[in-house]
Amino acid sequence: TTGTNNTGTLTLNGSSTITGTVGVGNALKDVNSGVNGTTSTFNGTINSQNVTSTGSGTTIFQDDVTATNVNVNAGTSTFQDNLTATTTTITTGTGNFNTLSGTTSSNIVFGGNGTANLNNGLTGNVTTNTLNTGTLNLVGSNNQTVNGNVGVGNALKDVNSGVTGTTSTFNGTVNSQNVTNTGTGTTTFKENVFANNVNVNDGEMTF
Protein backbone atom coordinates (compact mmCIF):
# COMPACT_ATOMS: atom_id res chain seq x y z
CA THR A 1 0.00 0.00 0.00
CA THR A 2 0.96 3.67 -0.18
CA GLY A 3 -0.03 6.61 2.00
CA THR A 4 -0.16 9.04 -0.92
CA ASN A 5 -1.93 8.44 -4.20
CA ASN A 6 0.28 7.64 -7.21
CA THR A 7 3.47 7.14 -5.21
CA GLY A 8 5.63 4.08 -4.69
CA THR A 9 7.13 1.58 -7.12
CA LEU A 10 6.87 -2.21 -6.89
CA THR A 11 9.28 -4.10 -9.14
CA LEU A 12 9.48 -7.88 -9.55
CA ASN A 13 12.96 -8.73 -10.83
CA GLY A 14 12.56 -12.51 -10.98
CA SER A 15 9.88 -15.17 -11.03
CA SER A 16 7.63 -14.22 -8.14
CA THR A 17 4.14 -14.61 -6.72
CA ILE A 18 2.42 -11.80 -4.81
CA THR A 19 -0.33 -13.29 -2.67
CA GLY A 20 -1.76 -10.03 -1.31
CA THR A 21 -3.34 -6.93 -2.82
CA VAL A 22 -1.39 -4.04 -4.32
CA GLY A 23 -2.43 -0.38 -4.10
CA VAL A 24 -5.76 -0.81 -2.34
CA GLY A 25 -6.91 2.58 -1.04
CA ASN A 26 -4.33 4.70 -2.83
CA ALA A 27 -2.88 3.69 -6.19
CA LEU A 28 0.83 3.05 -6.49
CA LYS A 29 2.81 4.93 -9.13
CA ASP A 30 4.37 1.90 -10.84
CA VAL A 31 4.03 -1.88 -10.78
CA ASN A 32 6.73 -3.54 -12.90
CA SER A 33 7.08 -7.25 -13.77
CA GLY A 34 7.71 -9.61 -16.68
CA VAL A 35 11.50 -9.58 -16.79
CA ASN A 36 12.95 -11.71 -19.59
CA GLY A 37 12.67 -15.42 -18.85
CA THR A 38 10.49 -15.02 -15.76
CA THR A 39 6.87 -15.55 -14.71
CA SER A 40 5.23 -13.12 -12.30
CA THR A 41 1.86 -13.85 -10.69
CA PHE A 42 -0.38 -11.45 -8.77
CA ASN A 43 -3.10 -13.25 -6.82
CA GLY A 44 -4.86 -10.11 -5.58
CA THR A 45 -6.17 -6.86 -6.98
CA ILE A 46 -3.80 -4.30 -8.50
CA ASN A 47 -4.32 -0.53 -8.38
CA SER A 48 -1.49 1.51 -9.90
CA GLN A 49 -1.04 4.49 -12.18
CA ASN A 50 1.23 2.40 -14.43
CA VAL A 51 1.33 -1.39 -14.80
CA THR A 52 4.27 -2.40 -16.98
CA SER A 53 5.85 -5.53 -18.39
CA THR A 54 9.52 -4.58 -18.55
CA GLY A 55 10.74 -7.50 -20.67
CA SER A 56 9.61 -10.51 -22.66
CA GLY A 57 8.51 -12.49 -19.61
CA THR A 58 5.03 -13.52 -18.52
CA THR A 59 2.78 -11.78 -16.00
CA ILE A 60 -0.49 -13.28 -14.75
CA PHE A 61 -3.07 -11.10 -13.02
CA GLN A 62 -5.60 -13.34 -11.26
CA ASP A 63 -7.83 -10.55 -9.92
CA ASP A 64 -8.98 -7.08 -10.97
CA VAL A 65 -6.46 -4.59 -12.37
CA THR A 66 -7.10 -0.84 -12.28
CA ALA A 67 -4.60 1.51 -13.93
CA THR A 68 -4.16 4.58 -16.06
CA ASN A 69 -1.55 3.01 -18.34
CA VAL A 70 -1.01 -0.71 -18.89
CA ASN A 71 2.13 -1.50 -20.88
CA VAL A 72 2.23 -5.08 -22.14
CA ASN A 73 5.11 -4.10 -24.41
CA ALA A 74 7.04 -7.21 -25.60
CA GLY A 75 5.86 -9.55 -22.86
CA THR A 76 2.84 -11.76 -22.31
CA SER A 77 0.27 -10.35 -19.90
CA THR A 78 -2.78 -12.39 -18.93
CA PHE A 79 -5.69 -10.66 -17.22
CA GLN A 80 -7.94 -13.38 -15.80
CA ASP A 81 -10.57 -10.96 -14.48
CA ASN A 82 -11.54 -7.30 -14.90
CA LEU A 83 -9.19 -4.75 -16.44
CA THR A 84 -9.99 -1.06 -16.18
CA ALA A 85 -7.46 1.33 -17.74
CA THR A 86 -7.24 4.39 -19.92
CA THR A 87 -4.75 2.88 -22.38
CA THR A 88 -3.23 -0.57 -22.85
CA THR A 89 -0.14 -0.57 -25.08
CA ILE A 90 1.14 -3.69 -26.82
CA THR A 91 4.32 -3.53 -28.92
CA THR A 92 5.41 -7.03 -30.01
CA GLY A 93 3.93 -8.91 -27.07
CA THR A 94 0.60 -10.57 -26.32
CA GLY A 95 -2.26 -9.45 -24.12
CA ASN A 96 -4.80 -12.07 -23.02
CA PHE A 97 -7.93 -10.46 -21.62
CA ASN A 98 -10.66 -11.93 -19.36
CA THR A 99 -9.46 -15.50 -19.71
CA LEU A 100 -11.67 -16.62 -16.78
CA SER A 101 -14.25 -13.86 -16.21
CA GLY A 102 -14.82 -10.12 -16.11
CA THR A 103 -14.68 -7.36 -18.69
CA THR A 104 -12.07 -5.06 -20.21
CA SER A 105 -12.56 -1.31 -20.38
CA SER A 106 -9.54 0.27 -22.05
CA ASN A 107 -8.29 1.65 -25.33
CA ILE A 108 -5.78 -0.77 -26.88
CA VAL A 109 -2.84 0.71 -28.80
CA PHE A 110 -0.45 -1.42 -30.86
CA GLY A 111 3.08 -0.04 -30.94
CA GLY A 112 4.22 -2.92 -33.14
CA ASN A 113 3.06 -6.28 -34.44
CA GLY A 114 1.58 -7.45 -31.15
CA THR A 115 -1.54 -9.50 -30.40
CA ALA A 116 -4.62 -8.88 -28.29
CA ASN A 117 -6.85 -11.84 -27.43
CA LEU A 118 -10.30 -10.79 -26.20
CA ASN A 119 -12.36 -13.47 -24.44
CA ASN A 120 -15.25 -11.21 -23.44
CA GLY A 121 -15.05 -8.29 -25.83
CA LEU A 122 -13.96 -4.73 -25.14
CA THR A 123 -15.21 -1.30 -24.22
CA GLY A 124 -12.73 1.01 -25.95
CA ASN A 125 -11.04 1.70 -29.26
CA VAL A 126 -8.28 -0.36 -30.87
CA THR A 127 -5.63 1.55 -32.82
CA THR A 128 -2.13 0.99 -34.19
CA ASN A 129 0.74 3.44 -34.54
CA THR A 130 1.98 1.83 -37.77
CA LEU A 131 -0.13 0.87 -40.79
CA ASN A 132 -0.97 -2.84 -41.11
CA THR A 133 0.39 -3.93 -37.73
CA GLY A 134 -1.37 -5.47 -34.76
CA THR A 135 -3.66 -8.48 -34.50
CA LEU A 136 -7.01 -8.44 -32.70
CA ASN A 137 -8.46 -11.86 -31.93
CA LEU A 138 -11.92 -12.49 -30.48
CA VAL A 139 -11.50 -15.88 -28.84
CA GLY A 140 -12.88 -18.22 -26.20
CA SER A 141 -16.25 -19.83 -25.61
CA ASN A 142 -18.16 -16.63 -24.75
CA ASN A 143 -19.89 -14.24 -27.13
CA GLN A 144 -17.74 -11.13 -27.57
CA THR A 145 -18.76 -7.53 -28.25
CA VAL A 146 -16.39 -4.70 -29.14
CA ASN A 147 -17.89 -1.34 -28.20
CA GLY A 148 -15.53 1.00 -30.01
CA ASN A 149 -13.75 1.55 -33.30
CA VAL A 150 -11.01 -0.72 -34.62
CA GLY A 151 -8.15 0.54 -36.79
CA VAL A 152 -9.35 4.11 -37.30
CA GLY A 153 -6.40 6.17 -38.52
CA ASN A 154 -4.13 3.25 -39.40
CA ALA A 155 -5.47 -0.16 -40.42
CA LEU A 156 -4.62 -3.17 -38.27
CA LYS A 157 -2.96 -6.21 -39.83
CA ASP A 158 -5.59 -8.78 -38.76
CA VAL A 159 -9.00 -8.84 -37.13
CA ASN A 160 -10.14 -12.39 -36.37
CA SER A 161 -13.51 -13.44 -34.92
CA GLY A 162 -16.34 -15.96 -35.29
CA VAL A 163 -14.96 -18.79 -33.20
CA THR A 164 -17.11 -21.93 -33.49
CA GLY A 165 -20.15 -21.73 -31.22
CA THR A 166 -19.87 -18.00 -30.55
CA THR A 167 -21.19 -14.69 -31.85
CA SER A 168 -18.82 -11.76 -32.29
CA THR A 169 -20.21 -8.23 -32.62
CA PHE A 170 -18.39 -5.06 -33.66
CA ASN A 171 -20.46 -1.97 -32.83
CA GLY A 172 -17.97 0.47 -34.40
CA THR A 173 -15.97 0.90 -37.59
CA VAL A 174 -13.45 -1.82 -38.47
CA ASN A 175 -10.36 -1.05 -40.58
CA SER A 176 -7.89 -3.90 -41.11
CA GLN A 177 -5.77 -5.41 -43.86
CA ASN A 178 -7.45 -8.77 -43.19
CA VAL A 179 -10.85 -9.47 -41.61
CA THR A 180 -11.39 -13.17 -40.98
CA ASN A 181 -14.03 -15.51 -39.57
CA THR A 182 -11.86 -18.21 -38.01
CA GLY A 183 -14.53 -20.81 -37.22
CA THR A 184 -18.17 -21.62 -37.89
CA GLY A 185 -19.41 -18.87 -35.61
CA THR A 186 -21.15 -15.62 -36.51
CA THR A 187 -19.66 -12.14 -36.81
CA THR A 188 -21.86 -9.05 -37.01
CA PHE A 189 -20.47 -5.69 -38.15
CA LYS A 190 -22.81 -2.82 -37.29
CA GLU A 191 -20.75 -0.05 -38.90
CA ASN A 192 -18.45 0.32 -41.92
CA VAL A 193 -15.78 -2.29 -42.63
CA PHE A 194 -12.62 -1.45 -44.60
CA ALA A 195 -10.30 -4.30 -45.59
CA ASN A 196 -8.13 -5.68 -48.37
CA ASN A 197 -9.25 -9.24 -47.68
CA VAL A 198 -12.49 -10.40 -46.06
CA ASN A 199 -12.55 -14.13 -45.29
CA VAL A 200 -15.95 -15.50 -44.35
CA ASN A 201 -14.69 -19.08 -44.59
CA ASP A 202 -17.05 -21.61 -42.92
CA GLY A 203 -18.79 -19.11 -40.69
CA GLU A 204 -21.34 -16.36 -41.14
CA MET A 205 -20.70 -12.63 -41.48
CA THR A 206 -23.33 -9.91 -41.44
CA PHE A 207 -22.47 -6.44 -42.69
Side-chain angles (χ1 to χ4, degrees), residues 121-204:
L122 174 74
T123 298
N125 299 314
V126 181
T127 59
T128 182
N129 294 332
T130 305
L131 184 67
N132 296 335
T133 60
T135 297
L136 179 67
N137 296 319
L138 275 60
V139 298
S141 59
N142 298 310
N143 296 332
Q144 318 95 5
T145 299
V146 176
N147 292 308
N149 297 315
V150 175
V152 171
N154 289 319
L156 268 63
K157 179 183 179 183
D158 289 289
V159 172
N160 300 313
S161 58
V163 172
T164 299
T166 70
T167 297
S168 305
T169 304
F170 293 89
N171 285 331
T173 299
V174 174
N175 182 23
S176 179
Q177 187 177 26
N178 304 299
V179 173
T180 301
N181 218 76
T182 58
T184 60
T186 299
T187 302
T188 301
F189 301 94
K190 294 191 174 181
E191 292 289 344
N192 295 330
V193 175
F194 303 93
N196 291 341
N197 304 296
V198 174
N199 305 297
V200 178
N201 294 329
D202 295 326
E204 179 181 334

Side-chain angles (χ1 to χ4, degrees), residues 20-23 31 42 44-48 51 61 63-67:
T21 59
V22 176
V31 172
F42 293 90
T45 58
I46 306 290
N47 183 23
S48 179
V51 174
F61 301 95
D63 210 328
D64 297 347
V65 175
T66 303

Side-chain angles (χ1 to χ4, degrees), residues 49-149:
Q49 185 177 24
N50 304 299
V51 174
T52 301
S53 182
T54 58
S56 59
T58 298
T59 302
I60 300 169
F61 301 95
Q62 295 184 336
D63 210 328
D64 297 347
V65 175
T66 303
T68 302
N69 303 299
V70 173
N71 304 298
V72 175
N73 295 331
T76 298
S77 294
T78 297
F79 303 89
Q80 294 184 351
D81 211 330
N82 296 303
L83 171 63
T84 303
T86 302
T87 303
T88 299
T89 301
I90 305 172
T91 54
T92 57
T94 299
N96 301 306
F97 300 91
N98 310 124
T99 57
L100 293 182
S101 62
T103 60
T104 294
S105 178
S106 176
N107 294 316
I108 295 177
V109 178
F110 289 107
N113 229 344
T115 301
N117 297 315
L118 302 177
N119 286 268
N120 259 351
L122 174 74
T123 298
N125 299 314
V126 181
T127 59
T128 182
N129 294 332
T130 305
L131 184 67
N132 296 335
T133 60
T135 297
L136 179 67
N137 296 319
L138 275 60
V139 298
S141 59
N142 298 310
N143 296 332
Q144 318 95 5
T145 299
V146 176
N147 292 308
N149 297 315

